[in-house]
Amino acid sequence: MEVEDPTMEAGSTIKLTVKFGGKSIPLSVSPDCTVKDLKSLLQPITNVLPRGQKLIFKGKVLVETSTLKQSDVGSGAKIMFMASQGLHQGEGPVLKEASTRPISRTAVSDKVDQTKPSLLVDKNRVDRWKATGVIALAQANLKEIPKEVWDCGSGVRVLDISENFIKEVPARISSFGSMQKLFLQGNGLSDESIQWEGISSLKRLMFLSISHNNLTVLPPAVGSLTSLRQLDVANNKLTSLPNELGLLTQLEILKANNNRITSLPESTGNCSFLMEVELSANIISELPETFTKLRNLKTLELKNTGLKTLPLGLFKMCLQLSTLGLHNTEITVEFLRQFEGWEDFDERRRTKHQKQLDFRVVGSGKFDEGADKSW
C-alpha cells in the first residue's frame, strides 16, 4: 500500500520507492519535503528512529536539512534505507512478518516437538495441585490446557502455562476465583486466543504476564483487574494501552517494552502506586503530563524510543524517582538540567548508583564501569 505524506497539497507530489529489508515501500510526498520529514514519515512504517535512519540516493547519503528537490530526488526515484543497530523499536521492521516463539526455547522451528511425548497427568500430580493451589506447567509442550487443570476448582492460586504452544485461553478460566498469579507468556497467543471475559473476572489476580506473544490490542477489560500489582505485556505488537489502565490503582509494576506503542493514556496518572514503568523500545514521542502524579515512581525506563521531552514537573513531583533510562533518545543531560527539581533527582540517582558500585566493588574486588547505564 502506498503511503502518502498527510501535509502535502494535491497536485504537488512525487512518487518514490524506499528499499528496506528486502521490501519496497512506495511513497507519495511533496518535492519540498525535507529529508528529516521523510524520515519521520518512515518511522512508524519501519519502526526505526529517524536518527537511526540513513537514506542513500545515487550513492550519496541524503542530508536531513535538504529538501527532496534540492537533493535531485524526483518521481520514480529509488532510495536505499539503512538502519543503525540498536535504534529499532518494538520487534523490528513492521514490514517483516514477525513470528513469536516461546521464550528461552532453543527449538529450530515454531512447531510442537512431535518427538516429545504428551504430558501425562496422573492422579498424584492432580492431588498435589489441589493441595497446594499451584499448577506449574511451563515448557510442557502443551497445545491446550489439560482437562485435569479444570478439575482443580476454585482453590487454584497460581497457574503457570508459559512457554508452551497453547492457542486458546477460554472463558472458563473464570472458575479459578482465587487466582493470584497467571503466567501466559511465550505461547504465541493472538488477540483471538484470549477470552478476556474470563480473565477479567479474576478479581483477586495480582500478577499477570502475557509477554512474548502476538497481541496487537490490550482490551478495556483489563481495567477490571483492580487487584493487579504487576502487569507484563512486553514483547508483543501493541500500538496503544487502553484508558482503563487508569483503573488499576493498585498497580506497582508495568512492563510494556518492545511493542509499537505510540502514546500512553492520560489515565496512567491514576495508577498512584506505580513504582516501576518499563516502556523501552516503543515509538513514544512524549509522556502525558499526568505522569507527574506518580509520586511512588522509582524507575522509569524509556530507552530506544522517539522521546523528545518529558513532563515538566517530573523531577519536581516524583520525589522517589532515582532511575531514568533515556539511552538512544533525543533527550540530553543539558536539556534535563533545565527542569525544576533536576538537582535533587541527580543526587538521588548518583547516590543509588554509588551504592551499587560500592556493593559490586566489595563483592567482586573489581570496579564495574557499567554500573550506571541510565544515560
Side-chain angles (χ1 to χ4, degrees), residues 221-287:
V222 74
S224 298
L225 301 173
T226 52
S227 295
L228 213 57
R229 301 294 195 276
Q230 297 186 41
L231 175 62
D232 188 352
V233 296
N235 293 89
N236 279 286
K237 302 175 184 177
L238 302 175
T239 57
S240 64
L241 297 177
N243 287 328
E244 287 75 9
L245 183 71
L247 298 176
L248 306 181
T249 55
Q250 302 300 311
L251 195 64
E252 297 175 357
I253 298 176
L254 172 63
K255 295 184 178 181
N257 51 292
N258 291 86
N259 278 287
R260 297 164 185 171
I261 298 171
T262 57
S263 63
L264 294 171
E266 295 281 340
S267 63
T268 306
N270 296 332
C271 303
S272 57
F273 281 92
L274 269 176
M275 294 187 292
E276 178 183 340
V277 177
E278 169 60 273
L279 295 168
S280 299
N282 279 291
I283 318 178
I284 299 168
S285 59
E286 62 180 4
L287 297 177

Side-chain angles (χ1 to χ4, degrees), residues 190-210:
S190 65
D191 297 326
E192 295 76 22
S193 301
I194 302 177
Q195 301 297 316
W196 278 96
E197 62 268 27
I199 293 181
S200 64
S201 66
L202 302 176
K203 302 304 182 183
R204 297 185 183 181
L205 195 66
M206 300 173 66
F207 178 98
L208 174 62
S209 177
I210 48 177

